[in-house]
Amino acid sequence: MNKTNIISKKEKYYSASQWTLVRSRFRKNRLAIIGFWFLMFLFFISIFAEFLAPYPPSAGSKEGKNRKYTFGPPQIVHIFNEDGKLTRPYIQDVQSKYSVSSGKMQRKYRVEGTKKYKVLDKFKEDETIGTITLSYFVRGSSYKMFGLFPMDIHLFGATDPKKKVHLFGTDQFGSDLFSQCMYATRTSLSIGALAVFIAFFMALIIGGTSGYVGGYTDVGIQGTSDAIRMIPTIPLYAALAATFPQDWSNLQIYFALTSILGLLGWTTLARRIRTHVLATRSEDYILSSKLSGASGPWIIRKHLLPSFTSYIIVDLIISFPYIVLAETALSLIGLGLRRPSMSWGVLMQDMTTLSAIQQTPWYFIPLIFFSLAILGFVLVGDGLRQAADPYSQMKR
């Protein structure tokens, strides 16, 4: 690399904007990038849940219920037959049966048809014996994409509309767990996003006012914040959620739970915003604006907030998993969302018994989604925090 290129690179670095530096540092953190793309994958699922899910999530839906396959384990997708030849993707047509053995009711599964598979020449549409052939972009239950456009196309499904596909297994009602996970991802992430937005809006006003005005206003706000922070979080959420009327619809519970999580989640973020405001309110350009007759809200909006916007975004990302954790915990103990609504907490209610651990381990699949989502937020939050650090050096 010649001297001209080195000088040009240094000029770009020292003349780059704050966002450019943060983005450049963030891209060099491999773990943060992995977490970012996984979170993008989850948000993609939440946006296109109806298209990705082969069936409606509700246990009361006839289209998504398979009474012949209750408590069914996940079905494995095969692309090779017994002879090792490539075929269309298929699964075994399995049905659950009950039998009495040693005085106990036991559930067994048997494969329908024979174990001989017919090779599909040139990927024809006919189905193999004893199996269910899978297809892409199949017609199924109707829905409205983004709540506007009527559609009935799903990403995958059985070629025979009378057959059912359950990649993650089924629950006690015979409902498809894969479809439920798709809709649960949307619900949990949307609650987290809305609650974080409410908390951010309150923290911005309260924390900015506390740091800029100071005096008795600051003392009163910080006292209130400390009082809320001293109360154990989950018991406080549970006490407020327990006040929901029993006749409320799931939509009402959804917005009430989101509001509670947002209204009680502003304290930490408000304190961080107050700290940033206190650190910058005595700068020369702030004093110049005051002497020029600028109002307090104008100074906060035009000068203070842009100076630490990157830190606020980092704090938002870090606080996101705590909101999701709170929603999941409340739904898990029965004080949050209830069926037929789907969330990670609602689905994990079924795995709280010893029999679920012993007999239906596939009930823990929503826990995998939840754990990886929290890990993704932690990785992205740590990556952004390091990238926003003004003392970190860009790797040459």
Side-chain angles (χ1 to χ4, degrees):
M1 184 180 294
N2 55 39
K3 186 176 181 180
T4 304
N5 292 335
I6 295 176
I7 295 176
S8 177
K9 187 177 180 179
K10 289 184 177 180
E11 288 178 351
K12 290 181 179 180
Y13 176 76
Y14 290 108
S15 62
S17 64
Q18 183 181 15
W19 284 110
T20 302
L21 295 177
V22 170
R23 184 169 61 251
S24 178
R25 297 190 189 107
F26 182 79
R27 288 177 176 176
K28 295 181 179 297
N29 191 326
R30 295 183 178 180
L31 289 178
I33 291 297
I34 293 174
F36 171 79
W37 284 114
F38 181 75
L39 291 180
M40 291 299 100
F41 172 70
L42 290 182
F43 279 107
F44 176 82
I45 290 177
S46 64
I47 294 173
F48 299 99
E50 296 91 349
F51 171 70
L52 298 174
Y55 310 109
S58 175
S61 173
K62 296 181 179 180
E63 296 175 324
K65 185 180 295 185
N66 188 355
R67 293 187 178 276
K68 295 182 180 181
Y69 199 58
T70 56
F71 293 102
Q75 296 173 323
I76 301 176
V77 178
H78 303 273
I79 59 175
F80 296 98
N81 62 3
E82 288 184 338
D83 299 329
K85 295 183 178 181
L86 186 66
T87 67
R88 289 183 61 89
Y90 69 90
I91 59 175
Q92 292 182 345
D93 189 4
V94 183
Q95 293 186 4
S96 60
K97 301 293 181 181
Y98 291 88
S99 63
V100 179
S101 178
S102 301
K104 295 182 180 180
M105 183 73 72
Q106 295 182 350
R107 184 175 63 257
K108 297 182 179 181
Y109 304 93
R110 67 182 180 89
V111 178
E112 297 297 316
T114 65
K115 293 185 178 181
K116 297 180 180 179
Y117 305 109
K118 181 173 61 177
V119 178
L120 296 181
D121 185 27
K122 296 182 180 180
F123 300 99
K124 293 181 180 179
E125 292 294 336
D126 48 319
E127 186 176 344
T128 58
I129 299 175
T131 64
I132 300 175
T133 306
L134 303 181
S135 297
Y136 297 104
F137 306 107
V138 298
R139 294 190 177 276
S141 59
S142 59
Y143 60 91
K144 286 188 176 182
M145 180 63 71
F146 311 120
L148 300 174
F149 309 106
M151 296 180 63
D152 61 355
I153 302 296
H154 298 264
L155 178 61
F156 69 93
T159 304
D160 185 358
K162 296 181 180 179
K163 300 293 184 178
K164 302 293 183 182
V165 180
H166 307 293
L167 299 184
F168 288 174
T170 60
D171 60 11
Q172 66 270 27
F173 305 106
S175 299
D176 182 48
L177 189 58
F178 180 88
S179 301
Q180 293 179 354
C181 285
M182 299 298 103
Y183 284 90
T185 300
R186 164 187 287 177
T187 303
S188 294
L189 291 182
S190 63
I191 287 180
L194 291 176
V196 165
F197 176 78
I198 295 174
F200 167 71
F201 183 76
M202 293 188 61
L204 196 62
I205 296 177
I206 297 175
T209 302
S210 178
Y212 185 79
V213 176
Y216 291 108
T217 302
D218 184 27
V219 173
I221 291 177
Q222 295 309 307
T224 303
S225 176
D226 292 337
I228 296 177
R229 288 165 57 89
M230 289 176 60
I231 304 175
T233 306
I234 295 299
L236 177 61
Y237 288 151
L240 294 175
T243 61
F244 295 163
Q246 294 295 325
D247 58 346
W248 270 16
S249 65
N250 286 315
L251 183 62
Q252 290 175 310
I253 295 177
Y254 172 86
F255 283 106
L257 181 61
T258 302
S259 300
I260 289 176
L261 295 175
L263 292 175
L264 297 179
W266 59 270
T267 54
T268 301
L269 186 57
R271 181 175 291 273
R272 291 172 180 170
I273 292 176
R274 169 185 175 271
T275 302
H276 292 308
V277 173
L278 287 174
T280 56
R281 70 176 184 176
S282 299
E283 296 290 339
D284 292 340
Y285 66 93
I286 301 296
L287 297 177
S288 299
S289 298
K290 290 182 179 179
L291 293 176
S292 300
S295 62
W298 190 92
I299 294 175
I300 295 175
R301 186 176 68 256
K302 294 295 184 179
H303 292 303
L304 293 178
L305 290 182
S307 65
F308 54 83
T309 303
S310 59
Y311 297 99
I312 296 177
I313 294 177
V314 172
D315 292 335
L316 286 177
I317 298 297
I318 294 176
S319 62
F320 203 106
Y322 294 101
I323 299 294
V324 177
L325 278 169
E327 180 277 325
T328 303
L330 290 177
S331 298
L332 180 62
I333 62 179
L335 294 176
L337 295 177
R338 315 181 189 117
R339 291 182 183 272
S341 295
M342 289 296 153
S343 71
W344 288 331
V346 171
L347 292 182
M348 285 191 286
Q349 289 178 1
D350 297 330
M351 69 176 196
T352 56
T353 61
L354 183 61
S355 60
I357 300 175
Q358 295 176 341
Q359 301 178 10
T360 55
W362 53 91
Y363 277 8
F364 287 81
I365 293 178
L367 179 61
I368 298 175
F369 277 77
F370 169 73
S371 301
L372 291 178
I374 297 301
L375 179 61
F377 280 114
V378 171
L379 293 177
V380 172
D382 289 342
L384 285 174
R385 181 166 52 190
Q386 295 176 9
D389 185 1
Y391 297 102
S392 63
Q393 297 294 325
M394 179 182 291
K395 296 181 180 179
R396 306 296 180 183

